[in-house]
Amino acid sequence: MEDEGSCGKPFRKAIVGGSFDRLHRGHKELLELACSVANSLIVGLADGPLIQSKPMAQSIRPYEEREKELRSFLETKGVPFEIVKIFDQIGPADSIEDADVIVVSTESYEGALKVNERRKSKGLKELKIVVLPIVYAEDGKPISSSRIRMGEIDPEGRLLTRIR
């Protein structure tokens, strides 16, 4: 990463969240974007009801394994971070007063709007929203943890099964 210090970053504290199951290129780009725009991160790591509705939920790695892999990746980025367990789409994002940005994927944009609605109702300032465009696999479809769990692609988006 080019800018590992705090100089030149537009935001103090970013919020980013997800299941981060089978940490893939899309996850990494999302986290790297958050690191590039903020001096520190709050990372919501989904558990419980948030992951039970996902495709092949029974194959999602345990929270502790996902947290360890996420922590290992973030430690290489030179940005202070805190990982918090979240059980719903908003987590603590509606109450972290010094947060000023939320970094989301295109698919999570609506969730960021809900976070801002909740913050506004609590008298907190709305977060700026930074959106990472969809990261595509080599077949032109989005990279996703569920596609990796199904054995279609690897974490870099390379096909593991032939297109029919």
Side-chain angles (χ1 to χ4, degrees), residues 79-121:
V79 174
F81 65 90
E82 178 183 353
I83 298 173
V84 296
K85 190 181 285 194
I86 58 173
F87 299 100
D88 62 38
Q89 195 176 32
I90 295 179
D94 65 343
S95 59
I96 300 172
E97 292 183 25
D98 61 340
D100 48 0
V101 65
I102 186 167
V103 181
V104 296
S105 63
T106 304
E107 300 97 354
S108 302
Y109 180 74
E110 292 296 321
L113 295 176
K114 288 179 185 176
V115 165
N116 274 338
E117 285 175 25
R118 184 87 62 87
R119 289 178 67 86
K120 193 174 177 182
S121 75

Side-chain angles (χ1 to χ4, degrees), residues 57-74:
Q58 72 281 5
S59 299
I60 294 176
R61 294 160 77 198
Y63 180 90
E64 294 74 22
E65 287 180 27
R66 292 181 289 122
E67 180 186 25
K68 183 178 178 184
E69 185 177 29
L70 181 59
R71 185 173 303 283
S72 178
F73 176 77
L74 288 170

Side-chain angles (χ1 to χ4, degrees), residues 35-60:
C35 289
S36 74
V37 300
N39 296 326
S40 66
L41 307 180
I42 299 290
V43 183
L45 182 55
D47 203 23
L50 266 181
I51 60 172
Q52 291 168 355
S53 62
K54 294 192 175 287
M56 297 184 66
Q58 72 281 5
S59 299
I60 294 176

